Amino acid sequence: MLLTSSQQQVLNTIIQVGTQRGLTTEQIIRVASVAELESTLRPDCPDNRWGAGGLFQYKDETWNGSRFQGSKFNAQDATNAFITDMLKYEKEYNLSSNDVEQRIARMEKKGIEGTLENYICYRHNRDLGETEKMADKLAFDPEGRFNEIGTYIEPNYVPGPNNPSNHYGLLPSNDLSGLPDMMNTCRNLFNTATVTPSPIILDLDGDGVETTNFKDGAYFDHDG
């Protein structure tokens, strides 16, 4: 099943917004997959019987209560809103509080694997029955839709300057494994700075000054 031109346009919007928000390729595919599950990539998807509508099927009370900007039926506005929610859910999942463990336990009791993707779906729609259906589609992909979405996004995604995969010293929000090393590096640099002499030199006799190599333990600021 090929993506329609309108669905490709929606994916392009998701890629653009995701890049601006500093998401990784994996995160952008995750956003697009939820949009596919919720509305088959249709920003104009009408309100269902529960009053949920738009690309990510937000209810009016959720949209208005969260003070999201714009309209839930606008692809860019809805994507921005969902990314805000998703990043919060990813942070929750990684911190693994008692509330998170209880949610995952409820999921697993229903036979839903406690993956990050499934957790995001559960937090977004707040219904175990719907989450179970979504989890099955994500796991088995009977129509190949999610594979098709990933295949489309990967070559069309160009990391932006705010993207953590661009070696700007940031960590992806869903990967905290490098945080201890980063903290140790910052701590070591700070400790080194506190004990490294940085002398002020006065040329009292007017014949110039001589400095030593920084490896000798002192840093001289030559250009002010």
Side-chain angles (χ1 to χ4, degrees):
M1 182 182 294
L2 297 176
L3 293 165
T4 66
S5 59
S6 60
Q7 289 172 328
Q8 290 179 4
Q9 186 176 356
V10 171
L11 288 178
N12 289 337
T13 298
I14 292 174
I15 293 170
Q16 179 184 16
V17 176
T19 301
Q20 292 170 348
R21 296 288 298 272
L23 301 192
T24 63
T25 312
E26 181 183 6
Q27 289 174 309
I28 291 177
I29 291 174
R30 192 174 293 144
V31 173
S33 296
V34 174
E36 165 66 19
L37 288 167
E38 291 286 4
S39 67
T40 61
L41 299 173
R42 292 174 53 206
D44 60 347
C45 190
D47 287 342
N48 59 25
R49 57 179 174 163
W50 295 286
L55 188 60
F56 293 94
Q57 293 292 284
Y58 278 102
K59 293 182 179 179
D60 285 340
E61 62 258 33
T62 303
W63 184 270
N64 296 328
S66 300
R67 297 181 180 179
F68 292 136
Q69 299 296 315
S71 167
K72 67 179 184 179
F73 293 106
N74 177 279
Q76 184 170 343
D77 295 340
T79 299
N80 257 316
F82 179 75
I83 288 174
T84 298
D85 281 343
M86 185 189 76
L87 293 176
K88 178 176 67 176
Y89 303 150
E90 285 182 352
K91 185 176 181 180
E92 286 178 3
Y93 187 87
N94 287 318
L95 292 176
S96 190
S97 64
N98 288 333
D99 287 342
V100 172
E101 291 177 0
Q102 290 174 8
R103 292 186 188 107
I104 292 176
R106 288 196 290 269
M107 290 165 57
E108 292 177 340
K109 186 176 181 180
K110 187 75 173 177
I112 305 168
E113 189 177 358
T115 63
L116 173 59
E117 286 75 16
N118 292 341
Y119 180 82
I120 290 171
C121 288
Y122 182 32
R123 289 289 281 120
H124 180 60
N125 62 59
R126 305 175 188 180
D127 183 275
L128 280 172
E130 287 299 311
T131 302
E132 185 178 18
K133 295 176 185 177
M134 291 180 172
D136 286 343
K137 289 181 179 179
L138 284 171
F140 300 108
D141 196 11
E143 299 178 356
R145 292 287 293 174
F146 303 105
N147 180 64
E148 190 177 357
I149 287 170
T151 301
Y152 180 86
I153 288 175
E154 288 179 353
N156 286 287
Y157 167 74
V158 179
N162 296 321
N163 193 279
S165 64
N166 255 12
H167 310 292
Y168 279 76
L170 302 176
L171 289 171
S173 61
N174 63 337
D175 179 14
L176 303 180
S177 61
L179 187 57
D181 290 338
M182 178 183 287
M183 292 179 65
N184 285 334
T185 299
C186 292
R187 186 181 298 113
N188 291 337
L189 289 171
F190 177 81
N191 290 337
T192 299
T194 60
V195 297
T196 301
S198 181
I200 298 174
I201 302 175
L202 300 177
D203 182 12
L204 299 178
D205 57 3
D207 64 348
V209 298
E210 293 180 1
T211 60
T212 58
N213 192 295
F214 78 92
K215 292 180 181 178
D216 293 332
Y219 287 76
F220 295 88
D221 186 359
H222 290 274
D223 60 5

